[in-house]
Amino acid sequence: MHIPTLLAALIPATAAYTKLSDSSLKSLPSPGSDFDIKTGALLSPLLTVRVPGTPGIAAVQAHFVTFFQTHLPSWKLSFQNSTQPTALGRPLPFVNIVATRDPPWAKQGDVGRLALVAHYDSKIDPPGFIGATDSAAPCAMILHAARSVDAALTRKWEAMKSAGQTGSLEGEKGVQIILLDGEEAFLNWSDEDSLYGARALAASWEQATNPAMSTFRTPLSEISLFLLLDLLGSRNPSVPSYFKTTHWAYQNMASAETRLRALKLFKSSPNHPSRKKAPAKNSKGGAPAREAREPKFLPEANKKDTATWLGGLIQDDHIPFMAKGVEVLHMIPDPFPTVWHRIDDDGAHLDGATVEDWALLVTAFAAEWLDLEGYLAAKPVMKREVGGEGEAEVVMGGTETDARPEPVEVQGRSELSNF
Ligand SMILES: *[C@@H]1O[C@H](CO)[C@@H](O)[C@H](O)[C@H]1NC(C)=O
Ligand SMILES: *[C@@H]1O[C@H](CO)[C@@H](O)[C@H](O)[C@H]1NC(C)=O
Ligand SMILES: [Zn+2]
């Protein structure tokens, strides 16, 4: 029998975060053709008008349900539905979709979870608005991440079970996908006209109580980290670290980004092999071509405590959760994409490589958070022939320490409003 001890409560959440090895990072699947904007199984069904209460959003809900039933049958799928008065003057239905995967032995109320969150509704105006970055692409990234850690979770929990390790000091760890409805305002953004789904879910989960003696009192407190993705999929994003209390998590994601880039796994990188020109036939050989400066999606890993932390200024789905004490990591670029809330926030304006890179990064972060090192299937590393053309084999070293200190001045801040 597992007796929760005071000691367990004293171990910081960060203690359990285990970095993935280079070979595990290399084994993470890339979304590939599933993110094709016309035919991709994950992304293309989302690139449609999805206004709450319309047939368009119902089709997208069906897409999510089919995805989980087909590919992730071990995840518990649930809905949190509400009907709410709206700024349009009539009530509309809102459907939050939640998929949860916990250790098979865990009791209700004993699992702390990484929540991967995005909204799936689209803005009613301008007519025909698709919201590819807002937030069709983030939803697809999350589905990809869920699918990519599923088998490793099974392997890890089976190994723990056969080793009799089903009552760890750090508590149980699970993962949850939260796809929110009704994020967008119908008329003008206000506390009442926005975040319909998030407000309903946070209230519902705060009121529900777990069995006595549970580790967590409410479903809301089972969220260890609320990782919210929004407005992702345009080229060259820059996401600040918004919250001091989750800066440790931001740093972990930034470190995963740096390592994925060093391993040449980021397709949007100027140094990705697919972008490299073939070396000239008569080049002297030896000295490899100089690398272009590597950009960063997350440039603030070395931000100082005394810097400005803007968490909470941007109105987004985290607000009702944050107000109830949930820890938030907010992945939203600053400035917002130029297509933000414009008709051209559509599939054609997504940067496919950037969308795939985000999916990979979120997968790596989730795998590290869930301690999946050793359980991700290692795909055989293909040795590339080094032929006469002089293509040097890139040596991938351990790159844990390659995060270069960088000034973290925040400039060019967009208006910190809603989205
Ligand atoms: C919530 O709404 C969805 C979509 O309309 C529906 O399929 C589901 O059965 C509803 N669930 C509950 C618990 O009412
Ligand atoms: C929304 O706000 C704009 C300007 O802030 C105003 O012109 C417009 O009338 C408002 N619309 C509604 C429906 O309140
Ligand atoms: Zn929006």
Side-chain angles (χ1 to χ4, degrees), residues 167-213:
S168 86
L169 263 187
E170 70 188 48
E172 312 293 358
K173 266 192 186 183
V175 58
Q176 189 163 60
I177 308 302
I178 305 179
L179 302 162
L180 293 168
D181 196 356
E183 189 267 351
E184 301 285 7
F186 291 99
L187 294 178
N188 283 343
W189 188 283
S190 69
D191 289 353
E192 292 74 39
D193 187 16
S194 68
L195 310 181
Y196 292 90
R199 285 187 284 125
L201 186 65
S204 160
W205 280 5
E206 188 186 38
Q207 274 153 29
T209 49
N210 285 325
M213 304 299 293

Side-chain angles (χ1 to χ4, degrees), residues 61 79 81 95:
Q61 289 156 4
F79 300 90
N81 298 350
V95 180

Side-chain angles (χ1 to χ4, degrees), residues 98-130:
V98 181
T100 305
R101 189 147 193 230
D102 292 340
W105 58 81
K107 293 204 299 287
Q108 188 198 337
D110 284 352
V111 184
R113 302 190 190 93
L114 171 66
L116 302 173
V117 191
H119 78 87
Y120 72 92
D121 62 305
S122 66
K123 202 169 173 296
I124 194 168
D125 177 69
F129 179 76
I130 294 294

